[in-house]
């Protein structure tokens, strides 16, 4: 139990009691009262106002409760592409005190079936196009389909339209979202996000990432709502900002820039690889993007060459944050004022300083804080830290130490409190007894003319224990020479850091969220027979 507002006990103290908080669904009710006729969701030529969304969410909550038996604490799995229905399913789950369990729509039926079983979902909401996923989730008793069938989502909403369902009473630690990790090392884990924790996260995002945000702003959603973009949309909900959804499922940079110009978009959340695609596409010069104030990127560090290109194209609008799903993006921030095309005016490589209300430490293997400039594990404490992994005591035991959440990321902090990420602890390799951090090498690889993307893996070696294997993608029309790249690197770093092999692929393997992950790259190389028997 949490010690909060309680009643006096016989010894004169305060009896522990769960702290009641506002249900996150109340943000929608609040907007419907104050901004009822203003747009909430825009997709193509369709507009849903805050009043309409509130009525639809209440009707959906009534249908989930009365027809499908969903109650407080029940888990609702959703397999869907971005849509207004996906947003409605989130808020309806919150309104009932249920738990929203979104899957990445790019996952296979078998992967989603595992999410269903591990979460204990009792209801699945699924786009009609994912019938195979729904069939694979045989552990789920009840189903609802977006886009047709006898169990149609919109038909359920229509049947209950006009029914008012007030937000369920919730405490600070009541779960509302199972945020599945990307599973870079094994099966994804369900990080339990709560009403009280997420309320802090939303306020912190508004303060640290998008200061001055009002209902006059406009947000464009270009990433799956199942993860970081869903948190970002909740932030817009809290501020009364309408969200524009892409009209088509396929990502189209020209469409993105046309929507930015048409709707005078002021903020966008995405990942570095998508920022790179957007600013390198010729359409960036054909459309007006002067309305942008905050282009927020997270999920992975942005390489310096890509930062410079984005700043040249967009101006001082970049906002970086570092934060895992377990801390819901709330560890550090690097605001526009700390971004610059000039290396002398920017802390190159930094992901920023600790977020308001959060405490970040660099710790050694014993949990002791290390001096400034010393590499260690990035650990964090504060109200944005999740409640733990669902039904996974082993993972919880590894993730927490003396109240600190251990991110698994290595880095250091300078004397002014700016954090620099060296890489995942699992990405580091040891060559000839020396630690090698791939990110440093990747930054240098991208400085070589004609190299568009790069990733470095540690692979076994009979002589040195491990050596580097660089996987690169060339810019269109370019064919960089591997030995010329190695010679270039030798003049810029110690010899043991220079990759022993350099491979070129037509495209860099990425996760469903557009991130470059070493696990996926390694699996791709193995499938293509590009790892020798010595390095397998």
């Amino acid at each position: 139990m949490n010690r909060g507002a309680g009643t006096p006990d016989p010894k004169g103290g305060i009896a522990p009691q769960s702290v009641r908080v506002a249900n996150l669904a109340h943000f929608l009710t609040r907007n419907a009262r104050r901004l009822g006729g203003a747009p909430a969701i825009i997709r193509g030529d369709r507009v849903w106002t805050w009043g309409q969304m509130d009525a639809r969410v209440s009707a959906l909550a009534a249908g989930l409760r009365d027809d499908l038996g969903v109650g407080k604490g029940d888990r609702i799995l959703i397999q869907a592409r971005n849509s207004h229905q996906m947003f409605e399913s989130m808020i309806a789950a919150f309104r009932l005190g249920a738990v929203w369990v979104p899957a990445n729509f790019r996952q296979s039926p078998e992967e989603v079936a595992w999410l269903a079983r591990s979460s204990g979902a009792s209801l699945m909401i699924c786009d009609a196009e994912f019938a195979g996923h729904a069939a694979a989730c045989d552990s789920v008793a009840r189903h609802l389909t977006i886009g047709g069938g006898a169990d149609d989502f919109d038909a359920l909403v229509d049947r209950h339209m006009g029914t008012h369902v007030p937000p369920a009473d919730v405490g600070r630690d009541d779960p509302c979202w199972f945020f599945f990790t990307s599973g870079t090392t094994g099966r994804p884990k369900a990080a339990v996000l709560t009403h009280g924790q997420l309320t802090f996260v939303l306020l912190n995002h508004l303060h640290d990432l998008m200061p001055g945000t009002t209902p006059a702003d406009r947000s464009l959603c270009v990433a799956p709502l199942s993860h970081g973009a869903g948190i970002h949309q909740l932030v817009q909900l809290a501020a009364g900002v309408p969200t524009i959804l892409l009209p088509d499922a396929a990502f189209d940079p020209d469409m993105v820039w046309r929507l930015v110009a048409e709707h005078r978009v002021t903020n966008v959340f995405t990942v570095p690889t998508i920022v790179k695609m957007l600013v390198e596409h010729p359409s960036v010069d054909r459309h007006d993007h002067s309305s942008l104030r905050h282009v927020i990127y997270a999920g992975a560090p942005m390489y310096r060459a890509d930062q410079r290109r984005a700043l040249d194209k967009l101006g001082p609008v970049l906002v970086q944050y570092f934060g895992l799903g377990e801390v819901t993006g709330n560890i550090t921030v690097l605001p526009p004022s700390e971004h610059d095309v000039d290396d002398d005016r920017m802390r190159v490589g930094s992901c920023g300083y600790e977020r308001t209300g959060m405490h970040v430490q660099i710790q050694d293997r014993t949990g002791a804080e290390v001096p400034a400039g010393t590499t260690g594990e990035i650990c964090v404490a504060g109200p944005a830290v999740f409640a733990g992994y669902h039904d996974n005591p082993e993972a919880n035991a590894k993730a927490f130490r003396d109240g600190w959440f251990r991110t698994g990321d290595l880095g250091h902090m300078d004397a002014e409190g700016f954090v620099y990420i060296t890489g995942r602890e699992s990405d580091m390799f040891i060559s000839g007894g020396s630690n090698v951090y791939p990110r440093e090498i990747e930054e240098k690889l991208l400085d070589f003319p004609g190299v568009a993307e790069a990733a470095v893996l540690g692979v076994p070696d009979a002589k040195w224990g491990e050596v580097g294997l660089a996987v690169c993608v060339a810019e269109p029309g370019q064919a960089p020479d591997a030995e010329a790249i190695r010679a270039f690197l030798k003049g810029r770093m110690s010899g043991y850091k220079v990759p022993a092999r350099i491979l070129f692929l037509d495209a860099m393997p990425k996760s469903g969220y557009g991130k470059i992950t070493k696990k996926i790259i390694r699996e791709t190389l193995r499938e293509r027979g590009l790892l020798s028997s010595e390095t397998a």
Side-chain angles (χ1 to χ4, degrees), residues 116-284:
R117 292 192 301 272
S118 64
S119 67
S122 58
L123 170 68
M124 182 178 190
I125 299 176
C126 189
D127 277 350
E129 68 175 285
F130 297 117
H133 291 73
C137 295
D138 53 8
S139 65
V140 182
R142 292 154 290 175
H143 288 75
L144 193 61
T145 304
I146 298 174
D151 53 353
D152 182 62
F153 182 103
D154 288 312
L156 180 71
V157 170
D158 290 343
R159 284 199 303 273
H160 292 271
M161 187 58 69
T163 304
H164 174 66
V165 177
D169 294 343
V170 294
R172 180 182 62 193
D173 298 326
D174 282 345
C176 62
W177 184 332
F178 281 2
F179 193 107
F180 275 96
T181 65
S182 55
T184 55
T185 56
R187 291 281 199 180
K189 301 184 291 291
V192 180
L193 310 185
T194 72
H195 283 269
Q197 175 225 357
L198 274 182
T199 296
F200 172 85
V201 168
L202 304 187
L203 295 176
N204 187 284
H205 273 46
L206 288 171
H207 181 274
D208 285 2
L209 304 183
M210 295 163 280
T213 297
T214 74
D217 284 280
R218 296 291 183 271
S219 181
L220 178 63
C221 182
V222 298
L225 289 170
S226 55
H227 281 67
I231 299 296
H232 189 79
Q233 191 186 35
L234 271 181
V235 176
Q236 309 313 305
L237 170 68
V241 175
T243 293
I244 296 99
L245 299 177
L246 298 181
D248 300 312
F251 178 77
D252 177 6
D254 182 72
M255 173 62 72
V256 169
W257 290 123
R258 280 196 282 128
L259 291 173
V260 168
E262 178 185 348
H263 294 283
R264 304 297 294 162
V265 169
T266 57
N267 76 65
V268 177
F269 164 82
T270 188
V271 295
T273 52
I274 300 299
V275 175
K276 177 181 173 68
M277 290 171 60
L278 288 172
V279 300
E280 290 180 351
H281 196 272
S283 62
V284 70

Side-chain angles (χ1 to χ4, degrees), residues 407-445:
T407 67
D409 285 301
L410 298 176
H412 63 273
M413 184 185 293
D414 66 20
E416 294 179 280
F418 283 79
V419 175
Y420 298 75
I421 301 173
T422 305
R424 294 291 294 173
E425 187 171 21
S426 57
D427 291 343
M428 186 198 80
F429 60 94
I430 301 175
S431 186
S434 297
N435 293 350
V436 181
Y437 302 100
R439 180 166 175 77
E440 175 191 1
I441 308 167
E442 292 161 356
E443 289 277 11
K444 296 293 191 296
L445 283 166

Side-chain angles (χ1 to χ4, degrees), residues 105 153 173 229 287 301 355 392 438 471 487 496 512:
F105 73 85
F153 182 103
D173 298 326
H287 301 288
R355 298 281 285 274
N392 199 332
V471 180
Y496 69 88

Side-chain angles (χ1 to χ4, degrees), residues 515-533:
K515 295 193 292 185
I516 297 173
T517 66
K518 305 298 171 66
K519 176 187 175 184
I520 295 175
I521 294 172
R522 199 178 294 273
E523 289 173 349
T524 301
L525 295 180
R526 187 174 290 111
E527 290 168 0
R528 298 183 186 181
L530 295 175
L531 288 178
S532 68
S533 58

Side-chain angles (χ1 to χ4, degrees), residues 221-381:
C221 182
V222 298
L225 289 170
S226 55
H227 281 67
I231 299 296
H232 189 79
Q233 191 186 35
L234 271 181
V235 176
Q236 309 313 305
L237 170 68
V241 175
T243 293
I244 296 99
L245 299 177
L246 298 181
D248 300 312
F251 178 77
D252 177 6
D254 182 72
M255 173 62 72
V256 169
W257 290 123
R258 280 196 282 128
L259 291 173
V260 168
E262 178 185 348
H263 294 283
R264 304 297 294 162
V265 169
T266 57
N267 76 65
V268 177
F269 164 82
T270 188
V271 295
T273 52
I274 300 299
V275 175
K276 177 181 173 68
M277 290 171 60
L278 288 172
V279 300
E280 290 180 351
H281 196 272
S283 62
V284 70
D285 296 319
R286 295 198 294 266
H287 301 288
D288 179 14
H289 46 72
S290 61
S291 58
L292 287 172
R293 293 191 294 118
H294 302 111
V295 175
I296 300 162
Y297 63 97
M302 185 183 289
Y303 292 112
R304 182 59 178 152
D306 296 332
Q307 276 182 340
R308 292 194 199 97
R309 189 177 294 111
L311 289 166
D312 280 336
K313 286 291 183 183
L314 305 179
V317 300
L318 294 185
V319 183
Q320 179 185 175
Y321 75 71
F322 162 54
L324 287 68
E326 292 90 338
V327 196
T328 330
N330 257 64
I331 299 179
T332 68
V333 59
L334 193 73
S337 60
E338 296 291 342
H339 281 81
D340 204 290
V341 292
D342 188 340
D343 288 358
D344 293 333
R345 294 199 296 266
M346 182 173 175
R347 292 174 172 83
V348 175
S350 175
C351 60
Y353 47 83
E354 62 193 356
R355 298 281 285 274
T356 304
M358 301 300 291
H359 189 181
V360 178
Q361 273 192 3
I362 311 299
Q363 298 180 357
D364 65 18
R365 293 184 181 276
T366 70
E369 184 176 12
V370 301
T374 304
T375 297
E377 183 178 11
I378 302 171
C379 299
V380 60

